Amino acid sequence: MRGFAVPAATLIGLAAVASAEAPTFTPTSIKASFLEQFTDDWSSRWSPSEATKKTPVGGETFSYVGEWSVEEPSEIIIKGDKGLVAKTKATHHAISAPFASSINPKGKPLVIQYEVKFQKGGNCGGGYMKLLEDGALDTKEFTDTTPWVIMFGPDMTCPGTKVHFIFRHQNPITGEFEEKHLTTPPKPTIGEDTKLYTLIVNPDNTYQVLVDDVEASSGSLLEDFTPSVNPDKEIDDPEDSKPVDWVDDEKIVDPEATKPADWDEDQPFQVLDEEAVKPEDWLEDEPSDIADPEAVKPEEWDNEEDGEWVAPTVKNPKCEEASGCGPWKRPMKANPLFKGKWTAPLIENPLYKGIWAPRKIANPGYFEDHNPATLRPIGAIGFEIWSMTEDILFDNIYIGHSAADAKALATETFHAKKAIEEEKKEELNKAAAAKAKEASGEETLLDMFDKLKENPVEYIREQILNFIEEVQVDGPVEAFKAKPQVGGAILAAFLTLLGSLAAIMGLVGSTAAPVSKSTKKTDAVTADAADTTKEPVATQPAATPAADSTVRQRR
């Protein structure tokens, strides 16, 4: 089995990302009617639901058993910055927090802003919040039927995404509530990064939806919602019905039309092209597919157990060079006589009276609300979601009346995170690109030198280990093809080492033995000494200079 080795490019990319010191979380000084950054005292404000209920259709019973936790994100961007996390997938989650005092939107802008981070990526499920009616919340029994004023935030609808903006509006005549949905909601791309969602509802009935602090939608509460806030002045008379003799077929089949005598319905759509000629280079005796000449029967193949081995087939290369192979057949062409099945043409219906519609009557439920922005008082916030994605993180919730304060909070929190996330993503992309480039053998000497400057020892070590691994797995030839620069450098170093060793051995072998000269002086040569002149005399080395007299001599 091939061992696992982390490419140098990946290590460099990760090291660059890790080298950036993450900033430390500091609570904001911005004030609002409700501002939540999930500090250590969060549990005194938030309560998970313990409700159990039945679905409207089918009577299925379910409970809000999804786990909630306040923790740092899986990828820490700001140290100590925690968020509310829906931990469990394919489960109903519900949690709520009452306000210290209710928020009355009358005559003031209502600003809602918060961050959502789908840490495990997107799948079916929601990340939207609900602003609940004042006095309607029982925290332990919070469900999807708890009365709310506004529902806002992202929803993954499988497929696709959208940002909900729905408000409940009360009919002043009947007293009934009706949900008003933004007709064309924004549909942003939702990945694993932090996303910021902002809603501003102004007293003049205008609204703004921002995604990542950039406007994604804006318009009027009176014009952009379905169903509309104000009903039509007139409606169809429910008691009116279409007369029995009413003809609403605009055209009819011409009763006087007859099929032409020369209309042949039996003619086929295509016929053989009798003018076609077989190409001169057509190889009629060659098969279109042949046995793969490079295929080899596996060593473990057993004819008795596996049957007779047959090589797989490949396209005949001769056929690719010619017009075709095998028996030649005339091609088909469009039949000029083909007309298909005859049908009588349509003509104007002389009895046609038009499209019938019931008569209009005055709408007994008509009303006109000139100021739907005057929403009902809000007393709490809640997240009531079902999702196939776990670890959805919510943070930095602002609910108040100042768009400027919400933007200032976004600058302190979201934009700081966004800059770090984008920097990390850029570094990882660079590392991935470098890894791909290295794997494809496109890494240039200039690339290698740049990495050597950053961390020479680690880079050289990784390159050598990766090359050795390639040799062990694919052989030296393939290793040199995959990493020619590394292989060339190793080969050059090896040859240099051999050359150095050869030079050293040559110097040692050519060195002559030292000749000793005697320091003893004589005036005459004795008889014995005369005999020794026939043999070479080893001389002693010259006397040591006076400056070296401190060195002790062996006696």
Side-chain angles (χ1 to χ4, degrees):
M1 181 179 291
R2 182 170 181 167
F4 177 78
V6 180
T10 302
L11 291 174
I12 291 171
L14 293 175
V17 172
S19 63
E21 183 84 19
T24 303
F25 169 74
T26 301
T28 185
S29 59
I30 296 171
K31 304 297 181 184
S33 300
F34 181 82
L35 198 151
E36 181 63 81
Q37 293 188 294
F38 297 100
T39 48
D40 292 340
D41 58 345
W42 72 274
S43 59
S44 64
R45 296 181 292 277
W46 292 84
S47 300
S49 175
E50 299 175 1
T52 297
K53 59 170 295 181
K54 290 186 177 181
T55 57
V57 179
E60 180 187 357
T61 301
F62 68 90
S63 300
Y64 290 95
V65 295
E67 179 189 353
W68 292 96
S69 175
V70 168
E71 58 189 45
E72 289 182 310
S74 55
E75 180 185 6
I76 297 176
I77 305 299
I78 299 175
K79 291 181 180 178
D81 183 21
K82 299 178 181 180
L84 177 67
V85 181
K87 299 290 292 180
T88 321
K89 68 185 299 185
T91 308
H92 293 272
H93 291 73
I95 193 169
S96 60
F99 297 160
S101 58
S102 65
I103 299 175
N104 189 347
K106 184 177 182 179
K108 304 174 186 176
L110 177 62
V111 182
I112 305 165
Q113 180 174 281
Y114 71 119
E115 297 172 5
V116 184
K117 183 179 177 71
F118 286 84
Q119 300 184 88
K120 298 293 178 66
N123 205 332
C124 298
Y128 44 81
M129 69 160 60
K130 292 179 178 179
L131 298 186
L132 309 176
E133 279 191 17
D134 187 30
L137 176 65
D138 178 351
T139 56
K140 298 299 182 183
E141 295 297 322
F142 172 44
T143 70
D144 59 335
T145 60
T146 302
W148 48 270
V149 179
I150 284 180
M151 189 174 109
F152 172 67
D155 190 11
M156 296 188 181
T157 53
C158 299
T161 64
K162 63 181 176 181
V163 179
H164 285 298
F165 173 22
I166 310 169
F167 67 95
R168 292 175 74 239
H169 181 264
Q170 187 176 28
N171 185 315
I173 298 177
T174 64
E176 295 179 354
F177 285 88
E178 188 175 44
E179 293 180 7
K180 309 296 182 181
H181 293 243
L182 183 60
T183 305
T184 309
K187 298 182 179 181
T189 300
I190 298 177
E192 298 179 11
D193 293 339
T194 303
K195 302 288 288 185
L196 181 71
Y197 301 94
T198 309
L199 170 65
I200 304 172
V201 181
N202 296 305
D204 63 356
N205 300 316
T206 60
Y207 71 91
Q208 255 187 312
V209 175
L210 297 90
V211 178
D212 293 346
D213 210 16
V214 176
E215 183 179 292
S217 178
S218 63
S220 168
L221 299 180
L222 293 167
E223 299 172 0
D224 300 339
F225 287 77
T226 304
S228 61
V229 171
N230 295 315
D232 295 330
K233 291 183 178 181
E234 291 185 327
I235 61 172
D236 293 339
D237 184 354
E239 298 181 359
D240 192 15
S241 60
K242 183 170 70 172
V244 293
D245 60 347
W246 189 276
V247 178
D248 47 15
D249 294 325
E250 186 175 358
K251 292 182 180 292
I252 59 171
V253 174
D254 185 357
E256 298 180 0
T258 58
K259 184 174 71 172
D262 61 347
W263 192 286
D264 187 355
E265 293 184 348
D266 297 329
Q267 285 288 339
F269 177 68
Q270 289 184 322
V271 293
L272 287 173
D273 185 358
E274 298 296 339
E275 298 179 358
V277 179
K278 183 176 74 173
E280 294 181 359
D281 63 342
W282 189 276
L283 305 176
E284 200 155 4
D285 297 330
E286 286 286 342
S288 57
D289 295 306
I290 60 172
D292 186 354
E294 298 182 0
V296 178
K297 184 173 74 171
E299 295 181 0
E300 65 274 12
W301 189 277
D302 188 331
N303 285 346
E304 293 183 359
E305 294 184 3
D306 303 324
E308 184 179 356
W309 182 80
V310 179
T313 59
V314 295
K315 294 293 182 183
N316 189 341
K318 295 181 180 179
C319 299
E320 296 179 359
E321 299 173 358
S323 298
C325 290
W328 181 80
K329 297 179 180 179
R330 294 184 184 278
M332 302 294 287
K333 69 174 184 178
N335 183 359
L337 301 178
F338 173 77
K339 293 185 178 182
K341 186 173 180 61
W342 181 85
T343 56
L346 298 177
I347 60 172
E348 298 291 333
N349 187 352
L351 302 178
Y352 175 67
K353 294 184 177 181
I355 302 299
W356 182 87
R359 61 176 172 266
K360 296 290 185 181
I361 61 172
N363 185 356
Y366 175 74
F367 64 86
E368 193 169 6
D369 184 351
H370 296 286
N371 197 18
T374 304
L375 300 165
R376 294 175 68 82
I378 303 165
I381 178 177
F383 291 99
E384 188 271 321
I385 59 175
W386 181 89
S387 177
M388 287 300 295
T389 300
E390 70 269 34
D391 291 341
I392 305 173
L393 184 144
F394 306 93
D395 200 6
N396 294 312
I397 303 171
Y398 176 98
I399 302 173
H401 303 291
S402 173
D405 286 349
K407 191 172 186 65
L409 179 64
T411 301
E412 290 181 13
T413 56
F414 168 74
H415 288 292
K417 291 179 186 179
K418 191 72 173 176
I420 298 172
E421 286 178 341
E422 289 181 352
E423 182 180 352
K424 287 189 174 186
K425 187 184 295 184
E426 183 179 357
E427 292 294 340
L428 290 174
N429 288 340
K430 286 182 179 178
K435 177 182 176 182
K437 189 175 184 180
E438 183 179 337
S440 65
E442 296 178 359
E443 187 176 34
T444 64
L445 288 174
L446 184 59
D447 295 330
M448 297 174 67
F449 288 141
D450 288 340
K451 293 174 184 177
L452 280 169
K453 290 179 183 178
E454 294 179 12
N455 193 337
V457 176
E458 183 63 24
Y459 180 71
I460 292 173
R461 174 180 175 276
E462 289 295 332
Q463 291 295 321
I464 293 174
L465 290 176
N466 288 346
F467 183 80
I468 292 173
E469 184 185 10
E470 291 280 351
V471 172
Q472 292 174 341
V473 175
D474 301 324
V477 175
E478 293 300 322
F480 268 89
K481 288 181 180 179
K483 298 181 180 295
Q485 295 91 345
V486 179
I490 294 175
L491 181 61
F494 180 71
L495 294 176
T496 302
L497 178 61
L498 288 180
S500 299
L501 290 174
I504 292 172
M505 295 300 294
L507 289 174
V508 172
S510 63
T511 303
V515 179
S516 300
K517 292 183 180 181
S518 175
T519 58
K520 185 176 180 179
K521 296 182 180 180
T522 58
D523 294 333
V525 179
T526 64
D528 294 337
D531 292 339
T532 63
T533 57
K534 298 178 182 180
E535 300 294 333
V537 179
T539 60
Q540 296 292 332
T544 304
D548 297 331
S549 61
T550 58
V551 179
R552 299 181 66 181
Q553 301 292 328
R554 178 178 294 181
R555 297 182 182 275

